[in-house]
């Protein structure tokens, strides 16, 4: 059973096709990296998977439970999308932490006020997560008091506090300088080692190669090629992939 | 009439001045939010009608609106003008200030980055939760300086109630000035407003300090 399955996804913005008949699925424990040039539809694909964008047609399902169904050629979404939202987490490129909440409140508020969980219990879990990140002494700090790398790590633990089955990353290090990138990538690597199911849109090729079970190369709204990292990065036979990767191997 | 008697007499109207001030805030602050949300409505008719009302309320003198609300019912429907003018005065003030507050709220809401909405949506917050817990607290922080401006203006605008002879402080002062042919009551009124606004400014400063515990 796939955790996430997206079949024949089509998405246009103002008549410009951004996703052209894309199909892919993610299995439990799998780490999938999506690479490709800007404008290839990588981020849109993630935003469709997390319902930030609605697809024009296609099927999205979590654990084989359909999120969308096609009725008379129209794409219809399930009524209770929150039932699906609690299964995934999304880490944004620019963190999107709530600036008026402390680190701990950023993490605790959704589990408590959205999932209705016990406050004391959530606090204990969140503190444990912060401790794992080495951020326990920053629990009462506000996002503005943290470095970019720390903010992104907090946004990762905020997503983890919801106990998602799958975690999406939308270019998690693109807003960070190289020095801070490492600490975020290290966290993602640790999650991979713990068998967290993840889909990572990234421009960090070396990282994608090291951490992924599968790499998807997208260009112009289609999946050009996908496979094990050694195949895609090592000896791709695809001309478009070669051309893209050549920019990184200089 | 000596200065002390003057001050005492005018102080009697101060309660009414405060009544206009606080009641206007009490009604216009929430009303302004409703107007702002209607103005941002996706329904074109709703947003355009709201926009029109805002433009009328901002585009005509408050003095005119006070007269319209107080005496309009008499001229239009033959209703007797109520003896307690506080009601029409507060209605006129509340509606007028709601229009100004609505535009301030709207600019604050529009200035919020879309990422805050998206983060809340992915975490499963409902629309109401997102607005109340995530958006509104940050909007308040952003608009506080403009709100202070508007509230300081309101203090001074309460003097406008003299146009409908509501016996607030300035109206009394004006009557004394006329009967005594003295300029003194205006100076007293000026001092009253200045002190009132000094208190308002101090209080709003405290509120701003309290909300400045984070950076946007």
């Amino acid at each position: 059973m796939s955790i996430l399955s997206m079949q024949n996804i089509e998405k246009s913005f103002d008549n410009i096709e951004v996703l052209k008949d894309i199909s892919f699925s993610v299995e439990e424990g799998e780490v999938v990296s999506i690479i490709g040039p800007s404008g290839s539809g990588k981020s849109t694909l993630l935003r469709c998977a997390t319902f930030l964008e609605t697809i024009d047609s296609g099927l999205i399902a979590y654990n084989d439970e359909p999120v969308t169904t096609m009725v008379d050629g129209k794409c219809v979404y399930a009524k209770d999308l929150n039932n699906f939202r609690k299964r995934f987490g999304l880490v944004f490129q620019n963190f999107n932490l709530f600036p008026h909440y402390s680190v701990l409140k950023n993490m605790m508020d959704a589990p408590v006020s959205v999932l209705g969980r016990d406050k004391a219990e959530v606090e204990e879990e969140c503190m444990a997560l912060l401790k794992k990140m080495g951020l326990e002494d920053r629990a009462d700090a506000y996002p503005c008091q943290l470095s970019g790398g720390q903010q992104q790590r907090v946004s990762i633990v905020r997503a983890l506090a919801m106990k998602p089955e799958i975690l999406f990353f939308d270019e998690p290090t693109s807003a960070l300088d190289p020095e801070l990138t490492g600490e975020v990538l290290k966290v993602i690597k640790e999650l991979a080692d713990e068998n967290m199911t993840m889909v990572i849109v990234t421009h960090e090729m070396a990282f994608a190669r090291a951490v992924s079970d599968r790499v998807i190369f997208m260009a112009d709204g289609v999946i050009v090629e996908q496979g094990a990292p050694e195949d895609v990065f090592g000896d791709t036979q695809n001309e478009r992939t070669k051309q893209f990767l050549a920019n990184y191997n200089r | 009439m000596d200065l002390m008697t003057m001050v005492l007499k005018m102080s009697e109207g101060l309660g009414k001045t405060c009544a206009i001030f606080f009641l206007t805030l009490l009604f216009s602050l929430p009303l302004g939010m409703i107007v702002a949300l209607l103005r941002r409505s996706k329904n074109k008719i709703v947003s355009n009608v709201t926009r029109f009302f805002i433009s009328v309320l901002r585009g005509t003198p408050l003095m005119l609106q006070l007269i319209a609300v107080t005496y309009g019912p008499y001229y239009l429907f033959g209703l007797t003008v109520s003896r307690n003018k506080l009601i029409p005065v507060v209605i006129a003030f509340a509606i007028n200030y709601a229009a100004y507050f609505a535009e301030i709220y709207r600019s604050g809401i529009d200035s919020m980055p879309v990422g805050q909405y998206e983060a809340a949506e992915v975490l499963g917050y409902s629309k109401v939760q997102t607005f109340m817990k995530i958006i509104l607290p940050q909007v308040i922080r952003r608009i506080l300086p403009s709100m202070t401006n508007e509230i300081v203006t309101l203090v001074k605008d309460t003097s406008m109630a003299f146009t409908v002879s509501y016996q607030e402080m300035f109206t009394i002062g004006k009557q004394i000035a006329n009967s005594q042919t003295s300029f003194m009551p205006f100076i007293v009124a000026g001092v009253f407003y200045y002190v009132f606004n000094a208190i308002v400014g101090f209080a709003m400063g405290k509120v701003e300090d309290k909300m400045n515990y984070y950076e946007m």
Side-chain angles (χ1 to χ4, degrees), chain A residues 91-107:
Chain A
V91 174
F92 296 86
Q93 179 177 344
N94 46 6
F95 332 136
N96 290 338
L97 291 171
F98 304 132
H100 59 309
Y101 282 173
S102 68
V103 165
L104 189 60
K105 176 114 186 192
N106 260 286
M107 296 173 69

Side-chain angles (χ1 to χ4, degrees), chain B residues 91-111:
Chain B
I91 290 175
F93 268 94
I95 293 174
N96 179 275
Y97 271 80
Y100 282 94
F101 287 147
E103 287 297 282
I104 296 176
Y105 291 149
R106 187 175 67 90
S107 68
I109 295 170
D110 287 352
S111 75

Side-chain angles (χ1 to χ4, degrees), chain A residues 33-42 171 201-203 205 215-220 222 224 240 244-245 248:
Chain A
S33 290
I34 306 178
I35 59 170
S38 299
S40 59
K42 316 179 294 289
E171 302 194 22
V201 169
T202 185
H203 290 294
M205 295 304 146
V215 175
I216 293 177
F217 172 63
M218 277 181 77
D220 303 319
V222 296
V224 175
R240 185 69 184 87
F244 173 73
L245 290 175
Y248 286 91

Side-chain angles (χ1 to χ4, degrees), chain A residues 33 35 214-219 222-228 231-233 235-242 245:
Chain A
S33 290
I35 59 170
R214 180 154 54 104
V215 175
I216 293 177
F217 172 63
M218 277 181 77
V222 296
I223 293 179
V224 175
E225 182 180 7
Q226 59 175 313
D231 294 336
V232 176
F233 289 109
D235 58 347
T236 179
Q237 302 306 308
N238 187 295
E239 278 308 316
R240 185 69 184 87
T241 314
K242 266 185 195 162
L245 290 175

Side-chain angles (χ1 to χ4, degrees), chain B residues 30-70:
Chain B
L31 185 62
M33 184 52 78
I34 295 169
V35 175
L37 294 178
L38 290 175
R39 173 77 176 77
R40 293 183 90 257
S41 165
K42 287 201 179 79
N43 184 323
K44 278 269 179 292
I45 298 171
V46 172
S47 72
N48 280 329
V49 168
T50 314
R51 187 214 298 254
F52 175 70
F53 273 106
I54 293 174
S55 79
V56 169
L57 289 165
R58 296 205 308 172
T60 60
L62 173 57
M63 200 182 283
L64 205 67
Q65 293 166 22
L66 272 167
I67 293 168
V69 175
T70 311

Side-chain angles (χ1 to χ4, degrees), chain A residues 47 82 97 100 109 113, chain B residues 116 118 124-125 129 133 213:
Chain A
R47 291 172 62 81
N82 265 9
L97 291 171
H100 59 309
D109 198 60
S113 62
Chain B
Q116 292 288 303
E118 291 184 344
Y125 287 92
Q129 280 177 324
K133 300 183 78 130
Y213 63 88

Side-chain angles (χ1 to χ4, degrees), chain A residues 158-208:
Chain A
R158 177 174 72 174
L160 288 174
M162 295 293 278
K163 297 188 177 172
E165 295 168 28
I166 177 169
L167 206 46
F168 298 101
F169 294 84
D170 188 3
E171 302 194 22
T173 59
S174 296
L176 301 173
D177 61 50
E179 215 171 332
L180 300 173
T181 299
E183 66 183 73
V184 171
L185 295 182
K186 187 166 155 269
V187 169
I188 302 174
K189 177 81 175 67
E190 282 165 12
L191 290 172
D193 293 341
E194 291 165 21
N195 282 325
M196 183 79 206
T197 312
M198 294 187 284
V199 178
I200 308 160
V201 169
T202 185
H203 290 294
E204 298 285 336
M205 295 304 146
F207 174 72

